[in-house]
Amino acid sequence: MAMRGKLFGQLLIDAGALTPGALNDALAEQSRSGRRLGEVLQRKGIVDEADVAKALSVQLNLAYVAGPFRPEPDALAKVQPKLARTKGVLPLSLKGRRLTVAMADPLDGEAVDDLRFQSGCRVDPVAAPPSAVARAVLEAYGGELPELLSRLGSSAPAGRTEARVLEQEASAAPVVRIVDHILATAVDARASDIHIETLGDGSRVRLRVDGLLATATELPPGSHHAAISRVKIMAGLDISVRRRPQDGGFTVRRGDAKLTVRVSTIPTTGGEKAVLRLLDPGDAPRGLSSLGLSDHDLKRLRQVLDRRQGVLLAAGPTGSGKTTTLSGAVAELSAEKINIVTLEDPIEYRFPGVAQMEIDRKAGVDFPSGLRAILRQDPDVILVGEVRDRETAEIAMSAAVTGHLVLTTIHTVDAPSAVVRLLEMGVPPFLVAGGLAGVVAQRLVRKLCARCAGRGGRECPVCTDGYHGRNGVFEVLVVDDAMRTAVSSGASISSLRALARENGMGSMARDAMRKVAEGATSPHEAGKIIALSAGSAAQCGSCDASLPPGAAGCPGCGRPRGTTCSCGTPLATKWRFCPACLRAAPALA
């Protein structure tokens, strides 16, 4: 398989669609995810489906047809619509007992066998772009989804919501196939979430792709309860319970990939809403270098990991890639010579040689109890999914003080705010000062499409609006002695920000501008980060001008910045003496 992938990659290099460096990165990801090389490259936006189909045609010694297709009626009659739709095949011509078929996946031997059995002919496959085949199948045989929606609408009576009736409706063929179709569409679109919610008398399905929601389809009136019930049955939830939130999950296979689907339902005024989070273990980062950190931030973050002691916090809102960053850190730590244990809710990425534990509240396993159990397992590195309360935070800090490296996440707007959040939770300042090693705060920005350089439009087969995928913007705070002293002394958030910047912490706004300069994202995307960061920048108390990191005073009006000792050391508001020379603070002198 590896040799076949290298040969296929070399064909793409020879065609000018791929560079050797990109091939090596894709081969490494292929070995982790188990996907085909062509799929990996397409997900990254490096090549398009036409490039893959052409390379396959050369590798397999097949003809390549780009379309548009003009299938012969006699050939279409040899293959049933269901097989054509599910396998992505289009009969093109029939000559005697030889049937020529355009295939989205010419490597699918099972599809060729099915075609032979159904048609009774010898099958000659030709390679073609999958989207072109799908369009031609739709034109030739009609779409499956409109037919299913029509059948669903006519067979789903409104008002019948008894558990037995709902279970029967949820098991009906149209509902099952529609939910399967929604899942397949979401996976193909690289969606991170699926939203199924009421819309008037009917229901709509929205997909979140690269952080943005868009409507994928609408379900007919009377079908919402059946669709939600089908999802709940798949997730192992109680379909008779509709007035309280429920959580569950299941796995789904799409091609060579096996995805975990986390399901959450809540009651709303129009009926239940379900959100399905798609977690792909194949997207696990190889390490920190693949996340988009600057060289400066990457070096600082690795310094924290190399100490193998203390708490490293990944800070940011929900969906900002915090778990991915910590997973990249775990991937860099060798599991052969150290004991790494994780406690997650749920487990998103799998790591060989790492003991991974999942939260199970029904069994009495929550974050505090699970973390206490892990500490009895002689761990060197502990990953805790999230610090949600004082108890978990104190246990994590205590573990760090006793010589463990603890990786966890917290919801704050920037890195210095994470320190304040721990104090607000009730964690003693001495424990925060002694246990915290560093904070990496982050947001996600959409990446410009590598294929069309962000131009978008219909001519680009990889993207629709000039973007493909997302990447992080970061700021990394490393806790040094000055920061520990400030935390223990109850310094303000502005003082902590000033100390962090003097110690080399950049800003997410500046990192976003770096990505614009490198051509990785657009000024529009960077502007969102700059707007979010505007409120956290230090400002002059006299003229409101922004103060550069480490500035002694305002560059606009010349006003000194804060209180400074005669020896030049910046002083926090509550300090009575200078920590450097022990002179009395000016206000008390």
Side-chain angles (χ1 to χ4, degrees):
M1 181 65 73
M3 181 60 67
R4 180 184 294 179
K6 289 181 180 179
L7 292 174
F8 178 75
Q10 188 60 49
L11 290 173
L12 289 169
I13 292 175
D14 294 342
L18 189 64
T19 64
L23 173 60
N24 291 333
D25 290 343
L27 287 171
E29 183 169 332
Q30 180 196 22
S31 65
R32 292 192 317 276
S33 65
R35 289 192 177 96
R36 293 177 183 172
L37 180 60
E39 184 180 357
V40 171
L41 291 169
Q42 285 182 255
R43 286 174 63 86
K44 286 177 167 290
I46 299 174
V47 302
D48 61 32
E49 58 179 11
D51 295 326
V52 172
K54 289 175 184 176
L56 278 175
S57 69
V58 175
Q59 185 180 28
L60 301 176
N61 195 27
L62 300 176
Y64 170 77
V65 183
F69 303 105
R70 294 178 176 82
E72 297 176 358
D74 290 345
L76 292 175
K78 286 288 185 179
V79 178
Q80 295 178 6
K82 182 179 179 180
L83 178 60
R85 296 187 188 114
T86 56
K87 294 296 186 178
V89 296
L90 178 71
L92 296 177
S93 62
L94 179 66
K95 295 182 179 179
R97 307 295 294 178
R98 300 179 70 95
L99 181 66
T100 301
V101 181
M103 300 186 65
D105 182 8
L107 291 171
D108 190 347
E110 183 180 336
V112 174
D113 291 339
D114 290 344
L115 286 167
R116 289 193 187 113
F117 179 78
Q118 194 173 104
S119 66
C121 299
R122 178 176 176 177
V123 175
D124 294 331
V126 297
S131 63
V133 174
R135 286 193 299 269
V137 169
L138 181 64
E139 293 173 359
Y141 293 105
E144 181 185 30
L145 186 59
E147 175 189 345
L148 289 173
L149 293 177
S150 175
R151 290 170 57 189
L152 180 63
S154 61
S155 63
R160 300 180 64 191
T161 58
E162 300 89 342
R164 182 176 58 81
V165 174
L166 283 175
E167 187 170 358
Q168 291 175 349
E169 293 177 355
S171 302
V175 177
V176 172
R177 290 167 65 185
I178 284 174
V179 172
D180 289 347
H181 185 278
I182 291 171
L183 287 168
T185 301
V187 174
D188 292 343
R190 302 178 296 105
S192 61
D193 300 88
I194 305 171
H195 292 239
I196 305 176
E197 55 201 352
T198 56
L199 181 66
D201 295 332
S203 179
R204 71 174 174 180
V205 178
R206 293 192 293 170
L207 305 181
R208 186 180 296 278
V209 180
D210 294 338
L212 301 180
L213 277 171
T215 299
T217 188
E218 294 185 5
L219 304 181
S223 62
H224 181 73
H225 292 310
I228 293 290
S229 296
R230 173 59 186 167
V231 171
K232 292 170 74 173
I233 289 173
M234 295 174 71
L237 306 182
D238 190 341
I239 64 172
S240 65
V241 176
R242 301 172 53 218
R243 295 185 178 181
R244 70 168 184 263
Q246 295 189 74
D247 294 292
F250 58 92
T251 59
V252 61
R253 183 172 291 279
R254 181 67 173 167
D256 296 328
K258 186 177 181 181
L259 289 79
T260 299
V261 182
R262 185 173 64 191
V263 178
S264 171
T265 65
I266 60 171
T268 67
T269 54
E272 286 184 287
K273 174 176 178 175
V275 175
L276 290 69
R277 169 64 59 88
L278 305 180
L279 305 173
D280 189 349
D283 288 337
R286 303 186 304 277
L288 296 173
S289 59
S290 63
L291 302 178
L293 288 146
S294 67
D295 293 340
H296 175 72
D297 285 342
L298 183 59
K299 180 180 178 180
R300 286 164 59 84
L301 191 52
R302 282 175 171 160
Q303 286 175 347
V304 174
L305 295 176
D306 290 342
R307 294 173 187 170
R308 298 290 172 86
Q309 181 173 344
V311 172
L312 173 64
L313 291 173
T318 300
S320 59
K322 301 184 297 296
T323 301
T324 301
T325 296
L326 295 187
S327 297
V330 171
E332 290 207 353
L333 297 168
S334 172
E336 296 181 1
K337 297 182 179 180
I338 60 175
N339 181 22
I340 305 176
V341 187
T342 74
L343 178 62
E344 303 168 74
D345 183 24
I347 295 172
E348 295 193 17
Y349 301 125
R350 304 281 179 176
F351 298 99
V354 175
Q356 296 182 260
M357 182 177 176
E358 192 164 75
I359 295 297
D360 187 352
R361 293 178 179 82
K362 293 181 180 178
V365 180
D366 54 12
F367 279 110
S369 64
L371 187 50
R372 288 193 188 94
I374 288 174
L375 288 172
R376 295 191 290 269
Q377 291 287 310
D378 185 32
D380 296 295
V381 180
I382 304 170
L383 186 149
V384 183
E386 183 181 349
V387 171
R388 298 180 179 177
D389 50 48
R390 173 181 176 178
E391 187 177 11
T392 306
E394 285 190 350
I395 298 172
M397 289 295 165
S398 299
V401 171
T402 56
H404 301 87
L405 174 61
V406 181
L407 314 175
T408 187
T409 68
I410 195 168
H411 292 90
T412 59
V413 295
D414 62 4
S417 298
V419 182
V420 177
R421 179 72 182 111
L422 290 172
L423 297 172
E424 290 175 345
M425 284 182 179
V427 182
F430 76 88
L431 200 53
V432 175
L436 188 61
V439 183
V440 51
Q442 63 187 86
R443 294 288 194 281
L444 293 178
V445 294
R446 291 186 294 170
K447 294 191 298 183
L448 291 174
C449 175
R451 187 72 181 180
C452 67
R455 292 187 296 272
R458 293 184 177 182
E459 65 275 7
C460 181
V462 173
C463 69
T464 54
D465 56 358
Y467 298 96
H468 187 281
R470 291 189 292 174
N471 211 331
V473 293
F474 304 87
E475 61 182 27
V476 178
L477 182 157
V478 177
V479 178
D480 60 356
D481 290 340
M483 180 70 69
R484 298 186 198 282
T485 302
V487 172
S488 299
S489 304
S492 64
I493 182 66
S494 58
S495 298
L496 294 177
R497 284 198 180 102
L499 283 172
R501 286 168 179 157
E502 289 169 8
N503 188 34
M505 184 189 80
S507 68
M508 285 185 281
R510 185 170 297 178
D511 201 35
M513 289 186 283
R514 173 183 68 86
K515 289 192 175 295
V516 173
E518 293 175 350
T521 192
S522 67
H524 174 73
E525 287 291 297
K528 299 176 184 178
I529 306 300
I530 295 171
L532 289 171
S533 304
S536 63
Q539 291 181 309
C540 174
S542 176
C543 67
D544 290 331
S546 296
L547 302 182
C554 177
C557 66
R559 177 179 175 177
R561 180 180 184 181
T563 304
T564 305
C565 178
S566 58
C567 71
T569 302
L571 302 178
T573 305
K574 296 183 180 180
W575 290 357
R576 298 179 60 190
F577 297 92
C578 173
C581 66
L582 293 182
R583 291 187 179 93
L588 300 175

